[in-house]
Amino acid sequence: STDTSYISSDNDSIPATPSNGSVQECRGIFRTLEPVWYYKSSLLNNDQDINEYQWIPFNDETQSQLEIGLTSKNTHCIVKQEEFGICTIVYDCNLRSNNQQTRTNQGQHTLTIKAAGPVYHMGKEIRRTITPIWWFEDDYSDGTKGMCRFEHKNQIRLEALSDGRNNLVLTDAAFNVPLNAVLERSNNSNVRDELHGFMYLE
């Protein structure tokens, strides 16, 4: 049964209407599994110890470019990241760079690509992981329904919450009032796109 501990009325089965005339707003909360692309912090050339590095996510535009390139079965993708400029990401870690070109022998065939800037390889300086992302239901200006991401701090809190408690009060940059997130138990955390609960705003 649904947890109704957040309802202000002891007798009603639906949220009560506050005395000031405002209506409690309810929106769906979704958890999806999304690909996220990272690069090694050592690519920033900040004299960092090569044995001590972090994985830093690419910007949103580069994330989209890299994912489209991979799903389109391209051999490489040329992107521009503000931290280190234009570079070439090669999806096959067996390919090697040679004076702005990358070549490899595949059976009787030689594969050649044109590169721009430094060449980095998926599985070495670049990696792709599948990460849970939390969204809330939102109304677009044209009247259609869509989803918006919770801000980063709430991504962490909601993921932790899904493993234990099912009720949490959050503040998010998208709203000027606190929201009450009520999550439903899931038997499968590996579902790619799932309604995971609801949030309530006054």
Side-chain angles (χ1 to χ4, degrees):
S1 60
T2 303
D3 180 6
T4 57
S5 60
Y6 56 89
I7 297 175
S8 57
S9 170
D10 294 332
N11 301 317
D12 297 336
S13 60
I14 60 174
T17 302
S19 58
N20 62 7
S22 63
V23 179
Q24 189 177 51
E25 181 181 357
C26 174
R27 302 191 189 192
I29 294 176
F30 296 82
R31 178 185 184 271
T32 64
L33 298 177
E34 305 288 340
V36 180
W37 293 80
Y38 299 86
Y39 61 88
K40 278 186 178 180
S41 56
S42 57
L43 301 186
L44 298 177
N45 295 322
N46 54 4
D47 296 324
Q48 184 181 38
D49 186 338
I50 194 170
N51 296 316
E52 295 181 6
Y53 60 83
Q54 297 177 327
W55 290 102
I56 303 174
F58 283 97
N59 60 40
D60 289 344
E61 181 179 356
T62 301
Q63 296 276 347
S64 178
Q65 288 179 284
L66 288 170
E67 192 63 24
I68 291 172
L70 181 67
T71 56
S72 300
K73 301 187 183 302
N74 295 339
T75 57
H76 67 291
C77 183
I78 297 174
V79 300
K80 183 178 181 181
Q81 181 73 14
E82 56 268 25
E83 289 82 359
F84 47 80
I86 295 175
C87 64
T88 300
I89 309 300
V90 179
Y91 294 114
D92 184 348
C93 65
N94 293 317
L95 300 181
R96 294 292 183 268
S97 61
N98 180 17
N99 296 328
Q100 300 302 307
Q101 292 187 338
T102 302
R103 299 179 179 180
T104 186
N105 291 322
Q106 295 183 341
Q108 300 300 317
H109 303 285
T110 299
L111 179 62
T112 302
I113 66 172
K114 293 183 179 180
V119 176
Y120 304 123
H121 292 80
M122 181 177 173
K124 294 185 177 180
E125 303 93 348
I126 309 298
R127 76 174 183 180
R128 174 186 182 269
T129 64
I130 300 298
T131 303
I133 302 293
W134 291 83
W135 312 76
F136 59 86
E137 187 179 15
D138 197 22
D139 295 324
Y140 292 156
S141 57
D142 62 1
T144 60
K145 292 285 187 181
M147 296 194 301
C148 291
R149 290 190 187 195
F150 284 96
E151 63 178 300
H152 179 68
K153 68 176 183 180
N154 290 331
Q155 297 285 337
I156 298 172
R157 297 186 70 189
L158 286 165
E159 187 63 23
L161 179 66
S162 68
D163 292 332
R165 296 167 28 234
N166 65 342
N167 192 302
L168 182 67
V169 176
L170 301 172
T171 58
D172 195 278
F175 304 98
N176 56 12
V177 295
L179 57 96
N180 187 19
V182 180
L183 303 187
E184 298 176 347
R185 297 292 183 185
S186 173
N187 295 325
N188 185 1
S189 62
N190 294 319
V191 174
R192 187 170 184 85
D193 191 348
E194 178 184 26
L195 175 64
H196 222 73
F198 297 91
M199 68 179 191
Y200 299 86
L201 302 98
E202 293 292 346

